[in-house]
Amino acid sequence: MKRVDDRIKIDLSATQKALLPLNAFSQALNLLLNDDLMENLPIDYAAVACDLITGKKVVLTQGTLITAVLASGSIPGILPPVPYQNWILTDGEASDIVPVATAKELGAGFTIAFDVSQNFITHPSLENTLEIVNRVAQIKSYELKKLKMAAADFIITPDVGRFHWSEFRAYEDILQAGYLAGKQALSGLNNII
């Protein structure tokens, strides 16, 4: 039975671009956001995505807000990439994991980075190929994140490292952790500013 189960998983991953359809994410965003043009928003907004064709960062500053959020939030394997103009876009983490430099390129004089990543596990399971490949990706991501974070003028780290990004039921705890971290950061920010 295990072989059959493994074969089904392999076949699914070979025939589908993602676990969830793009329209499900799009419908959820339509409930949460107005489909305003980014250039008309009262506060400057940019979304960072990665073009799967060239491997380069794509910074979206114009066009519809929902398209930008769809593209920059398209988590590989979970949501399919987003075709837009001449690009095939996915989550910006692939090319710009913490976009501090991008914010500065866009004119930010002071940058605040939020570290909402999961805790780095020090004793991972390394029993099979998938776990080993996943661990190498985690290490690369962790090391790159540290380098990119160092460029920020101020870092806020809410106590959310114990949560997986998909734990939507824990949103109240996550919101509370973010609120507390922001509140604690205010005095340090006021001193710097």
Side-chain angles (χ1 to χ4, degrees):
M1 188 64 180
K2 175 120 176 68
R3 282 186 173 182
V4 171
D5 186 42
D6 288 344
R7 181 61 190 230
I8 290 170
K9 288 176 188 171
I10 290 167
D11 285 348
L12 281 175
S13 67
T15 60
Q16 294 181 356
K17 290 185 178 180
L19 294 175
L20 300 173
L22 193 60
N23 67 339
F25 188 28
S26 180
Q27 288 171 0
L29 288 178
N30 279 314
L31 294 173
L32 298 170
L33 302 171
N34 293 323
D35 203 15
D36 296 326
L37 293 175
M38 286 184 284
E39 54 268 33
N40 294 339
L41 295 174
I43 298 173
D44 289 345
Y45 174 77
V48 178
C50 176
D51 178 24
L52 289 173
I53 305 300
T54 63
K56 294 187 178 178
K57 166 179 75 175
V58 174
V59 182
L60 301 169
T61 57
Q62 295 183 335
T64 65
L65 181 60
I66 288 179
T67 299
V69 174
L70 275 174
S72 67
S74 179
I75 301 166
I78 306 299
L79 292 162
V82 176
Y84 182 66
Q85 295 183 7
N86 295 323
W87 302 303
I88 304 295
L89 299 176
T90 192
D91 188 335
E93 178 184 15
S95 55
D96 198 6
I97 192 166
V98 183
V100 173
T102 299
K104 290 180 178 180
E105 289 165 9
L106 292 171
F110 186 84
T111 55
I112 302 171
F114 291 83
D115 185 356
V116 293
S117 57
Q118 280 185 272
N119 294 335
F120 188 73
I121 299 167
T122 54
H123 300 291
S125 174
L126 301 171
E127 298 298 319
N128 60 53
T129 305
L130 186 58
E131 288 177 346
I132 293 167
V133 169
N134 189 40
R135 182 58 174 181
V136 170
Q138 287 173 348
I139 292 167
K140 287 180 189 178
S141 180
Y142 179 74
E143 292 300 322
L144 185 55
K145 179 198 76 168
K146 285 194 306 187
L147 287 172
K148 296 276 192 168
M149 279 279 181
D153 297 303
F154 194 84
I155 300 170
I156 298 175
T157 308
D159 183 23
V160 294
R162 64 189 182 278
F163 297 107
H164 189 269
W165 66 264
S166 64
E167 290 185 64
F168 300 115
R169 291 187 176 141
Y171 76 93
E172 288 181 354
D173 292 334
I174 293 168
L175 284 174
Q176 183 65 18
Y179 173 79
L180 290 174
K183 193 173 178 182
Q184 291 168 353
L186 279 178
S187 61
L189 273 170
N190 285 333
N191 290 339
I192 293 171
I193 293 172

